[in-house]
Amino acid sequence: MTKRIPQAILAALACALMAGCSGMNENNLKFRDIEQVKGDVRKASSELLGIIGLKGKATEGGPLIAPCSNYPEGVYRASHPWSVYGIPVEEMEKAMDRLRTGLPKNGWKIVKDGKDRSPSKSPQIVANSKGDEFSVDIRLHDERKYGSDPSLIEVTVESACFKTKQPD
């Protein structure tokens, strides 16, 4: 069973994670191979799943490539949205606590730890990797606040913007 992440949440995540691209000069962007970036984002997601440490169900799918806004053609970022669900919310709360200690131990700098702007004020952790190659936005959606939707930890890993050569 695959859970979908609502489009409004994805739009909010994109805005929250823009720090990886905003304010950067195009000349400072690295040239990267798209498949290599996708692999690096998968690796970061796997590391985060390990820190979360839950044995629930996870959504399937892999990193997606999209243009970086405010840049000319040929500048992209990889984004990997996924979630873990099918676990009691109390275990998910413990997983969020593990992230608070585990992220810094694994080279991530937490830049936000609080509530998101949604009506339910979901717990949210936003962090940047060492070297700012990746950003992650992690939220706990509690079924006790949503009613019929199951609890889940929603994770979106995004790469920094990068340049690639356009196919001829």
Side-chain angles (χ1 to χ4, degrees):
M1 181 170 154
T2 302
K3 300 290 178 194
R4 287 187 160 183
I5 298 173
Q7 290 298 322
I9 291 174
L10 286 176
L13 288 173
C15 291
L17 294 171
M18 290 300 266
C21 285
S22 66
M24 287 187 73
N25 181 329
E26 179 189 354
N27 296 327
N28 294 334
L29 296 176
K30 295 179 183 178
F31 281 96
R32 306 267 327 260
D33 175 74
I34 288 177
E35 292 308 314
Q36 179 65 46
V37 173
K38 284 181 173 182
D40 291 346
V41 170
R42 272 190 212 93
K43 183 178 175 184
S45 287
S46 180
E47 176 185 304
L48 292 164
L49 183 58
I51 296 169
I52 289 170
L54 295 173
K55 302 290 185 208
K57 299 173 186 173
T59 54
E60 296 179 18
L64 309 168
I65 300 296
C68 277
S69 59
N70 300 323
Y71 284 102
E73 236 177 273
V75 178
Y76 300 94
R77 74 165 64 235
S79 178
H80 188 200
W82 54 275
S83 60
V84 177
Y85 60 99
I87 303 155
V89 72
E90 295 80 12
E91 292 301 313
M92 292 182 182
E93 290 169 332
K94 290 176 187 175
M96 292 294 282
D97 288 336
R98 283 192 294 278
L99 284 160
R100 288 180 180 95
T101 57
L103 285 169
K105 288 179 183 176
N106 286 279
W108 293 82
K109 180 181 178 189
I110 296 174
V111 295
K112 178 180 180 184
D113 185 359
K115 305 287 183 190
D116 69 8
R117 294 182 182 176
S118 70
S120 65
K121 305 287 186 221
S122 296
Q124 177 186 30
I125 298 172
V126 177
N128 296 325
S129 68
K130 185 187 230 181
D132 292 325
E133 294 176 356
F134 305 102
S135 292
V136 64
D137 185 323
I138 306 165
R139 299 173 195 227
L140 171 59
H141 298 283
D142 187 339
E143 65 192 10
R144 298 172 293 192
K145 295 179 182 179
Y146 286 104
S148 63
D149 291 337
S151 293
L152 59 87
I153 292 179
E154 174 189 347
V155 179
T156 300
V157 179
E158 286 198 351
S159 73
C161 294
F162 62 93
K163 291 186 208 178
T164 187
K165 293 183 180 176
Q166 290 288 338
D168 293 327

